[in-house]
Amino acid sequence: MIRHRSWCIAFVPVFAGIARADVFSYECNSFPDEAGWEVVNEVCDAEQWLDGGWLFQHVETGCGGPPGGGQFDYTRSLAEFIGEPAFFIEWRIETDGDQSEIDGVAPAALTAGGFGVVLYHFTIAKDQVRFIRDFEPPTLWIDIDPDVPHTYRLELFGEDLYIWYIDGQVIDSGIPGAAYPSSTPSINWRAKAWYLESTTQWDYIRYGTIPEPASGDFDSDDDVDLDDYYFFQDCVTEPNTDAGPGCTWADFDGDSDVDHHDFAAFQVTFTGPTD
Ligand SMILES: [Ca+2]
Ligand SMILES: [Ca+2]
Ligand SMILES: [Ca+2]
């Protein structure tokens, strides 16, 4: 991912806040409880700090464990997105926690569920991810490269389709158990020690309405402004490089990259700094 390319300096990157018309974005520039997340658990002297747009969470065993020890859990309601026909959750994370921790839903996890049949449950370790859907088999185990961040993306299209990506590659897709968000929906994420200590770092967690392709309008609020530009920068690639499923809104000419041609179109579409 190339950022701040020389032709991209026409706008000063500004990011005013987190609340968007149809997207919630936590960019890890502040602590979760300051950014709209509800604290479920912050226990056992777990450490948390911010560095360069990342949230770091260090957890160790103790306080009666192992199993168990330090833990951070956060949640937000997804009720405002009930009935949304095209919904996404995307997050970028790296952890050094061992895959043996996955049995304890550690070292890192993100879930979207509620009181209905639908559950999307991701448990992430240093070099492996476990995906459980709707409390039913099959459970998927995916190997990932260690020591680098990975981008995870879940797309939901009503009752018709779910797609799960890692780094832009489709890992799994199919017909969901039911439309989601539904049935008192919420998103939850955590870092946790089970038998081993670990450090997990989060770059962002974003969710909401999937933006229209080639619209320039990431947050689907019918403008193309500096808020959208913040995310446009994140999509910029070298020419002829696939920008991935999270960037189709920024690919104006539909050739899969987000390059200087797309930036020229973005500038033409630009409606003003902010509304
Ligand atoms: Ca970040
Ligand atoms: Ca917008
Ligand atoms: Ca393009």
Side-chain angles (χ1 to χ4, degrees), residues 6 27 139 141 156 172 234 237 251 256 269:
S6 57
E27 299 299 309
T139 298
W141 299 84
L156 304 175
D172 187 35
D234 218 17
T237 64
D251 178 20
S256 84
T269 314

Side-chain angles (χ1 to χ4, degrees), residues 250-259 261-262:
D251 178 20
F252 283 84
D253 57 6
D255 65 350
S256 84
D257 64 19
V258 177
D259 66 4
H261 295 295
D262 303 297

Side-chain angles (χ1 to χ4, degrees), residues 41-243:
N41 269 313
E42 289 181 352
V43 297
C44 197
D45 298 327
E47 290 178 66
Q48 191 164 244
W49 66 95
L50 300 166
D51 188 2
W54 293 76
L55 172 73
F56 288 76
Q57 300 176 315
H58 180 73
V59 292
E60 299 181 0
T61 58
C63 303
Q71 187 170 325
F72 294 100
D73 284 88
Y74 301 101
T75 189
R76 273 182 66 85
S77 169
L78 297 177
E80 65 192 292
F81 294 103
I82 290 174
E84 172 58 52
F87 180 76
F88 79 96
I89 303 172
E90 183 172 311
W91 67 103
R92 187 179 293 157
I93 180 181
E94 177 182 344
T95 182
D96 67 2
D98 195 84
Q99 59 179 253
S100 62
E101 294 281 277
I102 289 177
D103 282 344
V105 196
L110 186 147
T111 67
F115 292 122
V117 298
V118 174
L119 174 72
Y120 298 96
H121 188 302
F122 304 88
T123 309
I124 300 170
K126 174 178 180 162
D127 55 2
Q128 193 173 60
V129 181
R130 182 182 71 179
F131 176 42
I132 298 172
R133 193 173 63 83
D134 297 353
F135 306 96
E136 291 180 0
T139 298
L140 299 186
W141 299 84
I142 311 298
D143 291 332
I144 55 172
D145 290 337
D147 306 321
V148 290
H150 294 284
T151 302
Y152 302 88
R153 182 176 177 86
L154 179 67
E155 293 186 346
L156 304 175
F157 300 91
E159 298 178 345
D160 299 329
L161 180 66
Y162 75 88
I163 310 174
W164 175 39
Y165 301 88
I166 300 178
D167 299 330
Q169 303 298 309
V170 175
I171 301 300
D172 187 35
S173 67
I175 298 171
Y180 188 86
S182 58
S183 303
T184 319
S186 65
I187 179 171
N188 300 65
W189 54 284
R190 67 152 55 147
K192 174 183 161 182
W194 188 235
Y195 282 95
L196 298 167
E197 67 177 53
S198 63
T199 304
T200 294
Q201 60 188 88
W202 303 77
D203 186 3
Y204 61 75
I205 301 170
R206 303 167 181 166
Y207 61 80
T209 303
I210 296 177
E212 287 292 320
S215 64
D217 184 14
F218 173 78
D219 52 10
S220 298
D221 65 348
D222 296 326
D223 65 21
V224 177
D225 63 12
L226 285 177
D227 294 330
D228 302 300
Y229 178 65
Y230 174 90
F231 298 98
F232 186 93
Q233 296 173 91
D234 218 17
C235 283
V236 169
T237 64
E238 295 291 339
N240 305 314
T241 302
D242 191 349

